[in-house]
Amino acid sequence: MMDAGIEDNSNHNFSCYDVRVTDAAQNGDTFVYVIKSQQISSDTEYRVEREFEDFEWLHHCLLTQEGVTGLHGIIFPPLPAKPGTFLSNSEAKTKKKIESLAMVDDWQMYCRALEEYLHLVTAHPVLVKNPAVHSFLKHRELPIKTKVKKGIFNKLTQAVEELRKEHHKDIDDFFQNERDSNLTLTAFTKAAVEKFLEIVLTEQKIAIACGHFSTALHLGIGQDDDPADYAFAKMCLKLSEVLDTVKKNFEKVAENDLNTLGFNLELHSRFQDAEKEMLFRRTCKLVDVETANKNLGQAKPHKKAAMEDIKKAADKEFDEISGMAKVEIQRYHRERVRAFQKALIELSDSQLQTARECCVELKQQLAEFKQLCAE
């Protein structure tokens, strides 16, 4: 059964904090991020400096907090990967494409991703209650941090567990359908992210080519006093200005793509991985329940009572996780649709504004070009 308190939580999707990651500065081998935050109900603004390891500590605190009913049923907001960490071939390929987009500052983009992570955490009705969130945003010095273990043994253990349990048949059609849908959409979304970045990269290459052509025309102007050469030079100069306008237009178009739909697609891809992790945690609990039922059926009389207690505890935990998971999945789909709609609207508005500005400049340059031809 779904807890009534859990149902109420699903109706509150607003953040009680206004959070901004305003700057990133290199400090030796690490980067320090400046975070400014203010509670909606207060006029006090807090300013703290955090390294990526501090974000990992916060995420670890959210994953391991105690006393939260159905914690493992939460779809935790995905933390962006640490810059420079090992990635799979497809992820590395995608990251390389992003980094090659010179018109967008990499750290500005990464600060925005961290800022979005904090927005998602502070807007979550359960996670925002964790004391670690308030310490992270308000206190200059964090409590003593527990080292987050990320050894290869843990990764191998998790991989083996996934191979054993990821195809385990679910007893609830709702969750089985969600697992099947997640598996399909995760692959499609990752492919969409890569293809979209290829489009952005192509737009930038066109901008670079226009820039080279514009420079070549400008540098190719001679110093002859011949009237014909002088007229040709003026036309080359004007054409160079036109190509420079086209170059700036393609740069802006690519930047708009990356800052709106590109950003949303990448976040959505990470969110699908987060949902997959939640569904896997629930599947593990389902296996525990089935194991407890099996052990109870095979238990000897003097162990029946102990096995019955284990079964009841497993059933209770599984029901709590399932109740939270259903609310989270509904919330996840609702919020992702809303975010995708917003990204498409922002993309349309920004590209329309860019096209209008380019059109005004090109019209003016066309009129000037016609005037040159008439002279």
Side-chain angles (χ1 to χ4, degrees):
M1 284 284 291
M2 195 182 303
D3 193 287
I6 295 175
E7 286 187 75
D8 291 338
N9 283 340
S10 67
N11 297 323
H12 303 290
N13 296 322
F14 58 88
S15 174
C16 61
Y17 278 95
D18 175 26
V19 184
R20 290 167 293 128
V21 180
T22 59
D23 193 19
Q26 191 161 7
N27 181 18
D29 296 333
T30 63
F31 275 84
V32 177
Y33 306 96
V34 177
I35 302 171
K36 294 181 180 179
S37 63
Q38 182 178 342
Q39 282 186 285
I40 303 301
S41 58
S42 171
D43 295 330
T44 305
E45 182 178 81
Y46 300 91
R47 183 188 183 280
V48 295
E49 295 181 355
R50 298 288 183 250
E51 298 178 0
F52 184 80
E53 285 70 19
D54 299 323
F55 282 89
E56 289 185 314
W57 169 82
L58 172 63
H59 197 67
H60 178 73
C61 289
L62 297 176
L63 290 170
T64 58
Q65 59 186 311
E66 298 177 356
V68 177
T69 302
L71 176 68
H72 289 169
I74 291 177
I75 301 175
F76 292 92
L79 180 65
K82 182 178 181 179
T85 53
F86 175 80
L87 301 171
S88 67
N89 287 338
S90 61
E91 288 173 325
K93 189 176 178 183
T94 299
K95 186 174 185 291
K96 184 178 179 181
K97 288 176 183 174
I98 294 176
E99 289 177 343
S100 65
L101 300 173
M103 85 288 287
V104 179
D105 182 77
D106 292 337
W107 291 111
Q108 181 183 358
M109 202 68 159
Y110 193 73
C111 285
R112 184 184 170 195
L114 291 176
E115 181 176 296
E116 182 64 21
Y117 169 76
L118 294 175
H119 282 159
L120 291 166
V121 170
T122 55
H124 195 283
V126 176
L127 300 181
V128 72
K129 297 175 183 177
N130 191 311
V133 175
H134 305 283
S135 295
F136 183 88
L137 295 175
K138 293 182 178 181
H139 300 161
R140 291 183 179 275
E141 298 295 331
L142 291 175
I144 298 176
K145 294 176 287 187
T146 305
K147 183 71 174 177
V148 181
K149 295 181 180 180
K150 296 179 287 185
I152 189 171
F153 180 76
N154 292 334
K155 291 180 180 178
L156 287 173
T157 303
Q158 183 179 353
V160 171
E161 283 292 296
E162 287 181 1
L163 286 174
R164 286 180 55 238
K165 299 177 181 178
E166 66 178 349
H167 298 300
H168 188 85
K169 182 71 175 175
D170 208 294
I171 59 174
D172 189 325
D173 288 342
F174 173 83
F175 286 105
Q176 185 62 52
N177 292 336
E178 190 66 23
R179 285 166 58 186
D180 294 340
S181 175
N182 176 273
L183 182 65
T184 302
L185 291 177
T186 297
F188 284 154
T189 304
K190 289 185 186 303
V193 171
E194 188 168 335
K195 294 299 181 183
F196 189 81
L197 288 173
E198 285 181 5
I199 293 173
V200 177
L201 191 59
T202 300
E203 290 167 344
Q204 188 202 17
K205 287 179 178 178
I206 294 173
I208 292 172
C210 288
H212 289 165
F213 195 4
S214 174
T215 303
L217 285 170
H218 199 278
L219 294 176
I221 297 173
Q223 301 295 326
D224 255 330
D225 293 332
D226 190 315
D229 287 344
Y230 178 71
F232 178 73
K234 288 180 68 176
M235 293 183 70
C236 286
L237 187 60
K238 183 53 63 180
L239 185 57
S240 173
E241 292 175 6
V242 171
L243 286 168
D244 188 61
T245 299
V246 175
K247 166 184 172 286
K248 291 177 180 176
N249 177 68
F250 272 104
E251 286 179 342
K252 190 63 179 175
V253 166
E255 184 177 346
N256 292 341
D257 284 342
L258 202 60
N259 285 335
T260 54
L261 190 56
F263 182 85
N264 183 267
L265 281 173
E266 193 274 336
L267 175 61
H268 188 51
S269 177
R270 288 189 283 116
F271 246 119
Q272 285 175 330
D273 289 336
E275 186 197 24
K276 179 183 176 182
E277 291 172 4
M278 182 278 290
L279 291 169
F280 177 71
R281 291 194 298 268
R282 181 187 168 278
T283 301
C284 289
K285 292 301 175 185
L286 173 60
V287 173
D288 292 344
V289 168
E290 292 176 349
T291 301
N293 287 332
K294 181 180 177 181
N295 291 340
L296 177 61
Q298 298 175 348
K300 294 180 180 180
H302 67 281
K303 291 185 178 181
K304 282 279 185 181
M307 291 294 103
E308 184 69 33
D309 290 340
I310 293 174
K311 177 186 177 303
K312 287 180 179 179
D315 285 342
K316 181 175 182 292
E317 187 174 5
F318 178 70
D319 288 343
E320 289 173 349
I321 291 173
S322 297
M324 176 67 83
K326 282 191 175 181
V327 173
E328 283 285 290
I329 288 170
Q330 292 165 0
R331 183 176 186 271
Y332 161 73
H333 287 304
R334 184 175 63 249
E335 292 303 308
R336 290 302 93 211
V337 167
R338 187 177 302 168
F340 196 67
Q341 288 174 336
K342 181 183 176 185
L344 287 175
I345 292 171
E346 289 176 347
L347 175 64
S348 301
D349 289 344
S350 60
Q351 298 296 42
L352 184 59
Q353 179 64 26
T354 299
R356 283 172 175 164
E357 291 172 357
C358 183
C359 184
V360 170
E361 287 192 46
L362 289 176
K363 278 184 178 180
Q364 181 181 347
Q365 289 168 341
L366 179 60
E368 294 172 356
F369 203 90
K370 285 180 178 179
Q371 186 177 354
L372 280 176
C373 293
E375 291 177 356

